[in-house]
């Protein structure tokens, strides 16, 4: 297969030290960006393929690098992506033994930061991305904008990914009757920092099916291997026949999140059906949605089958949960989960 690597390796001169105190300690080493190209779902990796975990919890404001909640300590290797000031965005890296004396590239020997391979904006009907091997940040970022925009036939298949932040983002800021119709299938994702496929906004519909994930949420459990916060506008998003193994929960400062399939933020008509997840703390999550389904799925050797909630009181309604199979672990909380600690 053709190989795509979307990463860059900062040199010693790319780093600067921020002596401003946060929670009693300097914010430390950072890289400055002119544009807001960083976010919570990214891969920051040091030598020997060790991921830094996130302190963002989905947000990219505040420079919260020293907010070591959820069991983290000052020595936990972590990153914080910040866009507080326009034109002065920063990516912080701390912990892991770092001090002011030596920059991260010199100290670790190398630092790898994942980038986006391909950005497709408001075009590309019947685009097919297939038969690729990928590592780095994100392979495909597909964006929909405008009013009554129609992009049909977006297909991603037969992609192998190892050591990446995510693989596919489907984003929409569109309004009206806009539609992005997708078919994502037969992909194999391994060692994911965050979601393998994440979708957000209005007008995204289609199928995500017959994919395999092994070891997920290594840096952020903000969502899941398949993370949907999209309104399908009376259509549906069908997550079906996927398999997951070793999907982490409670990573970074994401205390309660992290599962294999996860839908939230007022998603509509997301149907999670006939998926199989094993050897994980939590298999499935539904939060803040309407007309979402959890039907015919299996959680094997997992601490928790699923959580269904309405965090934020966003008028969640009309869940359908039926005919799922749960085979639990031999003890409560066998697999790592988040903790409430300051």
């Amino acid at each position: 297969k053709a190989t795509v690597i979307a990463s860059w390796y900062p040199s010693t001169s790319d780093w600067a030290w921020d002596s401003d105190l946060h929670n009693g300690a300097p914010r430390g080493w950072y890289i400055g960006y002119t544009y807001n190209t960083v976010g919570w779902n990214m891969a920051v990796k040091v030598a020997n393929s060790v991921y830094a975990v996130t302190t963002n919890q989905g947000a990219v404001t505040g420079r919260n690098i020293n907010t070591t909640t959820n069991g983290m300590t000052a020595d936990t290797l972590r990153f914080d992506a910040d866009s507080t000031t326009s034109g002065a965005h920063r990516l912080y890296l701390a912990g892991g033994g770092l001090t002011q004396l030596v920059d991260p590239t010199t100290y670790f020997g190398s630092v790898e930061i994942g980038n986006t391979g391909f950005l497709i904006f408001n075009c590309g009907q019947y685009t097919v991305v297939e038969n690729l091997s990928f590592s780095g940040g994100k392979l495909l970022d597909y964006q929909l904008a405008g009013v009554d925009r129609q992009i049909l036939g977006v297909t991603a298949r037969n992609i192998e990914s190892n050591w990446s932040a995510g693989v596919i983002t489907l984003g929409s800021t569109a309004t009206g009757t806009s539609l992005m119709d997708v078919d994502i299938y037969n992909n194999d994702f391994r060692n994911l920092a965050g979601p393998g496929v994440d979708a957000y906004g209005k007008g995204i519909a289609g199928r995500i099916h017959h994919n395999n994930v092994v070891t997920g949420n290594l840096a952020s459990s903000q969502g899941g291997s398949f993370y949907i916060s999209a309104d399908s506008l009376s259509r549906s998003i069908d997550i079906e026949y996927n398999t997951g193994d070793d999907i982490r929960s409670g990573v970074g400062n994401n205390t309660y999140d992290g599962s294999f399939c996860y839908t939230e933020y007022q998603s509509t008509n997301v149907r999670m059906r006939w998926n199989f997840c094993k050897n994980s703390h939590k298999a499935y999550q539904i939060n803040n949605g309407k007309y979402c389904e959890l039907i015919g799925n299996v959680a094997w050797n997992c601490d928790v089958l699923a959580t269904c909630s309405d965090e934020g009181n966003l008028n969640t309604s009309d869940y359908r949960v039926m005919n799922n199979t749960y085979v639990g672990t031999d003890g409560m909380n066998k697999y790592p989960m988040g903790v409430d600690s300051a």
Side-chain angles (χ1 to χ4, degrees):
K1 290 184 176 181
T3 298
V4 177
I5 300 174
S7 295
W8 74 285
Y9 298 83
S11 65
T12 58
S13 61
D14 291 317
W15 297 98
W17 178 264
D18 185 350
S19 59
D20 188 30
L21 294 181
H22 174 234
N23 286 347
R27 286 193 166 88
W29 293 103
Y30 71 91
I31 294 174
Y33 293 86
T34 301
Y35 302 102
N36 183 18
T37 57
V38 296
W40 64 271
N41 181 21
M42 60 186 301
V44 180
K45 190 169 59 176
V46 301
N48 299 319
S49 296
V50 176
Y51 275 126
V53 299
T54 184
T55 60
N56 283 106
Q57 182 63 36
V60 285
T61 58
R63 299 182 179 176
N64 297 315
I65 189 65
N66 292 328
T67 304
T68 52
T69 58
N70 193 25
M72 291 189 288
T73 69
D75 201 45
T76 300
L77 183 64
R78 60 198 187 276
F79 75 85
D80 188 87
D82 171 71
S83 61
T84 300
T85 305
S86 179
H89 311 293
R90 293 180 176 183
L91 173 65
Y92 284 87
L93 184 63
L98 282 171
T99 68
Q100 185 178 359
L101 298 176
V102 184
D103 70 89
T105 296
T106 301
Y107 181 79
F108 292 114
S110 67
V111 176
E112 178 183 347
I113 300 174
N115 289 341
T116 297
F118 302 102
L119 171 63
I120 302 177
F121 183 80
N122 255 10
C123 62
Q125 287 203 103
Y126 305 105
T127 294
V128 177
V129 180
E130 64 180 348
N131 300 325
L132 295 175
S133 177
F134 174 72
S135 67
K138 186 184 304 176
L139 174 64
L140 177 64
D141 189 345
Y142 217 119
Q143 296 292 322
L144 177 68
V147 179
D148 301 334
R149 192 84 179 186
Q150 304 283 311
I151 296 180
L152 307 178
V154 177
T155 301
R157 64 193 179 204
N158 301 326
I159 296 167
E160 297 176 354
S161 172
N162 195 15
W163 296 109
S164 62
V167 184
I168 299 166
T169 290
L170 308 168
S172 171
T173 57
T175 58
T177 61
S178 294
L179 170 65
M180 182 194 296
D181 179 65
V182 303
D183 191 11
I184 299 173
Y185 65 97
N186 287 350
N187 300 295
D188 187 78
F189 304 150
R190 297 172 185 264
N191 298 305
L192 289 170
V197 179
D198 66 295
Y200 64 88
K202 291 184 178 294
I204 296 176
R207 297 184 71 203
I208 302 170
H209 61 102
H210 294 95
N211 302 287
N212 180 54
V213 180
V214 179
T215 307
N217 300 340
L218 284 172
S220 172
S221 58
Q222 168 73 13
S225 302
F226 303 107
Y227 182 40
I228 311 299
S229 50
D231 184 347
S232 62
L233 296 178
S234 300
R235 302 174 183 93
S236 68
I237 302 172
D238 298 334
I239 306 173
E240 302 172 333
Y241 301 108
N242 302 287
T243 58
D245 183 4
D246 184 27
I247 311 302
R248 311 295 174 85
S249 184
V251 180
N253 63 355
N254 308 122
T255 303
Y256 300 109
D257 286 339
S259 61
F260 178 45
C261 302
Y262 189 174
T263 178
E264 70 168 350
Y265 291 134
Q266 297 178 294
S267 293
T268 60
N269 299 315
V270 178
R271 303 188 294 191
M272 294 187 288
R273 305 183 296 187
W274 313 304
N275 301 287
F276 182 93
C277 180
K278 66 180 181 178
N279 305 326
S280 305
H281 175 68
K282 186 186 301 181
Y284 310 101
Q285 285 180 265
I286 301 177
N287 181 40
N288 302 146
K290 291 185 178 181
Y291 316 114
C292 295
E293 297 181 356
L294 187 68
I295 297 177
N297 301 282
V298 175
W300 186 274
N301 193 38
C302 295
D303 294 321
V304 179
L305 166 67
T307 56
C308 301
S309 55
D310 185 18
E311 183 69 25
N313 298 316
L314 298 179
N315 299 318
T316 297
S317 63
D318 297 296
Y319 288 165
R320 296 183 66 208
V321 180
M322 58 189 296
N323 297 334
N324 299 286
T325 300
Y326 171 56
V327 179
T329 54
D330 53 10
M332 285 296 292
N333 301 329
K334 176 180 178 179
Y335 293 100
M337 59 178 291
V339 297
D340 288 314
S341 61

